[in-house]
Amino acid sequence: MEQGTRGELVNRLAEAIDSVGTAHPLRVAIDGPPAAGKTTLADELAAVLRAQDREVIRATVDDFLFPRAQRYRRGRYSAEGCYFDAHDHVALRRVLLDPLGPRGDRKFQHAAYDRDTDTASSPPTATAPSDAVLLFDGVFLLRPELIDRWDLRIFVSVPFERTVDRARARGTALGRSAADTAEIERSWHHRYIPAQQLYFATARPTDHADIIVHNEQLHRPAWEQNSVRRRGPRSGS
């Protein structure tokens, strides 16, 4: 276990990315519970890599959601619905992860869902250089349907109750009402946290992570390296 400044963490992650050799774009998962700081960390890492002249593709699991009717078909506060019904893993593999993999043609789409219209989307196709880095953040990324599609797996760990505090603080910063805050707390305690507990029980994500970032102290994170392997292309697509 190491601990350091935010900059030291991001630099260590950039070094880990540089140490993994593939003949195709490097697919990096940045997993963790909601409000753990995954998106912020991915953006910080992207800035460092771009400063090193690396081509970075940024994408998020929130752009691979199913429409609301499917996401909430088991009920608004269903943990099973959150885990099993929220994300379109088939589309994620088809338009992004597999094209960037060892047998892909590097022609990809960064999204398959439009949040504004709550419908499937098909953005323009782009072509990634072979040395590009995909930084993909989101929940439930180390589940069986996706586990072999990543070349580096980062898990951002924060105690579940701390994520509730952060979600509540976000709502306050946005000027939301007391009723909105109560809804945030209900969603966290009845849907999001139980879904994460289901994920941990069935997929054991921290067992599969190459690097675990302990992000409770945002300005003084800690991290541990399980097994960043210098390797060629994985056997997965």
Side-chain angles (χ1 to χ4, degrees):
M1 181 86 72
E2 298 181 66
Q3 187 171 24
T5 66
R6 194 89 196 154
E8 289 171 336
L9 164 65
V10 174
N11 286 333
R12 287 295 182 90
L13 295 179
E15 290 172 2
I17 286 172
D18 191 54
S19 75
V20 181
T22 62
H24 57 84
L26 187 72
R27 302 163 297 176
V28 181
I30 302 178
D31 190 12
K38 306 177 297 298
T39 301
T40 298
L41 180 59
D43 288 343
E44 291 170 334
L45 185 52
V48 168
L49 293 173
R50 285 169 177 151
Q52 298 172 353
D53 295 324
R54 294 294 299 267
E55 180 77 20
V56 176
I57 302 163
R58 275 290 284 119
T60 176
V61 80
D62 290 344
D63 289 328
F64 291 88
L65 290 169
F66 283 118
R68 289 179 62 85
Q70 180 163 345
R71 298 204 305 272
Y72 296 110
R73 64 183 178 179
R74 304 188 202 216
R76 183 169 181 79
Y77 302 105
S78 169
E80 290 80 6
C82 183
Y83 185 62
F84 292 112
D85 301 334
H87 303 105
D88 190 344
H89 304 117
V90 172
L92 172 55
R93 292 193 301 263
R94 184 182 70 250
V95 306
L96 184 60
L97 298 182
D98 288 353
L100 299 182
R103 289 185 287 276
D105 60 7
R106 294 187 278 115
K107 299 181 188 299
F108 71 94
Q109 293 172 296
H110 69 276
Y113 171 75
D114 187 321
R115 282 175 274 185
D116 293 333
T117 63
D118 190 35
T119 59
S121 70
S122 184
T125 298
T127 301
S130 60
D131 61 348
V133 178
L134 169 66
L135 297 180
F136 191 93
D137 72 89
V139 294
F140 310 139
L141 300 186
L142 305 186
R143 61 193 298 155
E145 300 94 323
L146 300 175
I147 188 67
D148 67 344
R149 262 51 176 202
W150 308 113
D151 305 298
L152 184 67
R153 306 158 181 163
I154 299 169
F155 190 90
V156 182
S157 177
V158 174
F160 292 147
E161 284 302 320
R162 185 74 181 98
T163 70
V164 181
D165 295 339
R166 290 183 182 176
R168 190 186 301 114
R170 287 179 184 175
T172 300
L174 292 172
R176 291 178 176 168
S177 67
D180 291 332
T181 300
E183 174 63 21
I184 288 170
E185 292 179 352
R186 184 178 181 188
S187 295
W188 241 257
H189 286 119
H190 292 275
R191 182 174 174 91
Y192 299 132
I193 290 177
Q196 284 291 319
Q197 291 168 335
L198 175 61
Y199 177 42
F200 269 75
T202 58
R204 306 189 315 276
T206 54
D207 289 352
H208 300 292
D210 297 307
I211 300 170
I212 300 173
V213 174
H214 299 275
N215 205 38
E216 184 173 6
Q217 299 181 53
L218 293 173
H219 301 294
R220 191 73 179 168
W223 58 92
E224 55 184 310
Q225 195 165 296
N226 283 346
S227 58
V228 178
R229 298 170 290 279
R230 288 175 171 79
R231 54 189 176 235
R234 288 178 179 271
S235 58
S237 296

